Amino acid sequence: MAGKFEVYKDKSGGFRFRLKAANGEVVASSQSYKSKASAMGGVESVKKNAGADVVDLTEEPAGSITGVAG
């Protein structure tokens, strides 16, 4: 079975989605949206952008000096 998106109502009455892996583990969850249509738009955005490049912000830029007080 492939992963799946679940859309649900949260305790405050908003709409959220979560992405579950094939093993049932939640791998991503959304903010609260005011409407179900907005939550569904969020799902579509994740689907569209899932193939985007990864930018590793933990890497030091080339030529940077660490551990030096400024």
Side-chain angles (χ1 to χ4, degrees), residues 5 9-10 12 15 17 24 28-31 36 43-44 47-48 52-54 56 58-59 61 65 69-70:
F5 287 92
K9 275 190 143 181
D10 61 22
S12 67
F15 294 86
F17 67 85
S29 58
S30 75
Q31 65 187 35
K36 183 177 177 181
V43 168
E44 291 305 315
K47 286 177 162 181
K48 176 183 172 186
D53 292 338
V54 174
D56 185 350
T58 66
E59 295 292 318
I65 301 172

Side-chain angles (χ1 to χ4, degrees), residues 8-58:
Y8 62 98
K9 275 190 143 181
D10 61 22
K11 292 178 182 178
S12 67
F15 294 86
R16 294 179 181 262
F17 67 85
R18 60 186 157 229
L19 173 59
K20 285 191 170 181
N23 66 0
E25 181 179 349
V26 176
V27 294
S29 58
S30 75
Q31 65 187 35
S32 183
Y33 293 91
K34 290 184 179 183
S35 70
K36 183 177 177 181
S38 293
M40 295 300 288
V43 168
E44 291 305 315
S45 179
V46 171
K47 286 177 162 181
K48 176 183 172 186
N49 292 296
D53 292 338
V54 174
V55 177
D56 185 350
L57 300 177
T58 66

